[in-house]
Amino acid sequence: MDKQTQEHLESFRNLTRKIKSYHEAIGLLHWDLRTGAPKKGVPTRSETLGMLSTEAFKLQTSADMKTYLDALTTPAVLEQLEDIDRRQVEDCKKEYDRSQSVPPEKVQAYTVLTAKSETAWEAAKHNSDFAGFSPYLTDIVKLKQEFIDYWGVKDTRYDTLLDMYEPDLTVEKVDAVFARLKARLVPLQEKINASENKPNTEFLNQLFDTEQQEKFSLFILEQMGYEFEAGRLDESVHPFATGLNPGDVRITTHYLQDDVASAVFSSLHEGGHALYEQNIDDSLAGTLLAEGTSMGIHESQSRLWENMIGRSLPFWTRYYKDLQQHFPQLSEVELEDFYRAINRVESSLIRIEADELTYNLHIIIRYEIEKMLFNDGLEVKDLPETWNAKYKEYLGIMPTNDGDGVLQDVHWSGGDFGYFASYSLGNMYAAQILHTLRKEMPEFDTLIAEGNLIPIKEWLTDKIYRYGKSRTPSELIVAITGEELNPDYLADYLEAKYAEIYKL
């Protein structure tokens, strides 16, 4: 590598480190906004977030960035770069090409709007006030449509949004895997509905002290290998994880007094996200590759820990007695009955409380609505009616208020359109990864039943976590399992699990 190219490379590294520093500051301010920042500070905080995000955006699309990318993306130079440098250059080139035509003032306006919108959403959800929230969402969708024009329309407008969260994902691909999944899951749900061996869930309808819920959540997070010296657990309206850097990955949960399962499983879910980012290799620290490779792979880890480990019989064989110690009202409930109850299948209104089977229908509903918003001209004012109709069609139930309906998720208030498909993709990735994990670790269930979860975390670190964004989703899943994404593994997993629980 000649001297000038070496200088460009070093300057590129310095620039990306600066961008990463902005991202960390933005992430910290956003976390604070969602976990108890004074309400009167929201307008000024929103402006601050807008300004910092705009400065980071200007760096990503600057003349300097173009100079470095032009010098470093020639075939001859790319061949000489170390893998990490090459990956970061390629990733920044894609982002530059997509975003260089977006006016910075649009980015600032969008960031300020979504920061205010997320706070407005909290109140709207609490009061079931869609009319009060609608102006924010209308402006977000309008700006998002403008961004799509700047970024460039792919096969459809919604394809452009999908690609933001899962590289190269298209409506055509999602429609195909969802259709394949539905073909297996709908008959399974019909068999379950017809079964006479339904779990008793009455004992879950009690009051459970929230302080004890917090203590148990902290205990479980520690057991799965979450490092509290590199993170913390707080409470928010909607659980989330924020990876500032591998040494500071924070998570939140939400405690419901009448639902002991909610906080446990949301803590496992966000803990899965956090394990991913806490265990990214040190060589990626300070680079733009020190994050998950895609939301689908990220969700595979949260769903793996939440459901495939956390809702398994071996898991509760080990941890049910601990739960009973925190909640004596469960002392007379047998392990088998508890296990079946937390894995009941029933149509429900709330996505994050849904069972593993119907959860995918919740995602399909959101996916179809988002396609209608961006491809078919659905207006924001019509969202509640469309939402309720979809729930009636797919799950046979309808919300009685918008807080339990169209306002239940935080994602749209932050402009995260195109994200929801990642949850079902995550379920599919997780089942496929689990299939390989069981083959390579035959003692998998025994380790869980013993409470020895660290070897599982270490396996996942070796196969997924350490790579951060330095490998694509396709490269990861093929390297781990030997094939591209295959939805049949999820269907196989669900059919086997529920055949046993419902004695089909």
Side-chain angles (χ1 to χ4, degrees), residues 12 119 124 163 265 269 272 303 331 333 335 358 373 381 427 487:
F12 171 78
T119 300
D163 183 66
F265 292 115
H269 181 98
R303 302 292 288 172
S331 59
V333 179
L335 167 63
T358 62
L373 267 175
K381 66 180 179 62
N427 288 336

Side-chain angles (χ1 to χ4, degrees), residues 108-118 135-136 139-140 143 413:
Q108 183 161 355
Y110 176 78
T111 306
V112 172
L113 172 62
T114 52
K116 291 178 178 179
S117 171
E118 287 182 342
Y136 291 95
D139 287 344
I140 289 172
L143 271 174
S413 71

Side-chain angles (χ1 to χ4, degrees), residues 51-71:
M51 186 171 294
L52 291 176
S53 296
T54 303
E55 290 304 306
F57 176 80
K58 286 179 179 177
L59 292 174
Q60 287 179 309
T61 56
S62 64
D64 284 343
M65 178 65 83
K66 183 179 187 305
T67 297
Y68 306 146
L69 292 175
D70 285 347

Side-chain angles (χ1 to χ4, degrees), residues 6 23 25 39 55 83 101 109-110 115 151 191 202 207 257 281 299 307 317 386 396 428 461 465 488 495-496:
Q6 186 63 50
H23 289 174
K39 297 301 181 188
E55 290 304 306
D83 187 54
S101 63
Y110 176 78
W151 290 327
K191 289 180 183 178
E202 289 182 5
L207 295 181
Q257 194 174 23
D281 194 81
E299 292 300 339
N307 292 323
T317 298
T386 304
M428 297 178 213
T461 296
Y465 303 163
D488 291 339
E495 286 173 350

Side-chain angles (χ1 to χ4, degrees), residues 22-33 35 45 49 242 244 248 250:
Y22 271 102
H23 289 174
E24 180 166 343
I26 292 164
L28 183 58
L29 290 175
H30 185 270
W31 167 84
D32 180 65
L33 199 60
T35 56
R45 173 63 59 79
L49 281 165
T242 295
L244 303 178
D248 190 349
R250 308 176 184 204

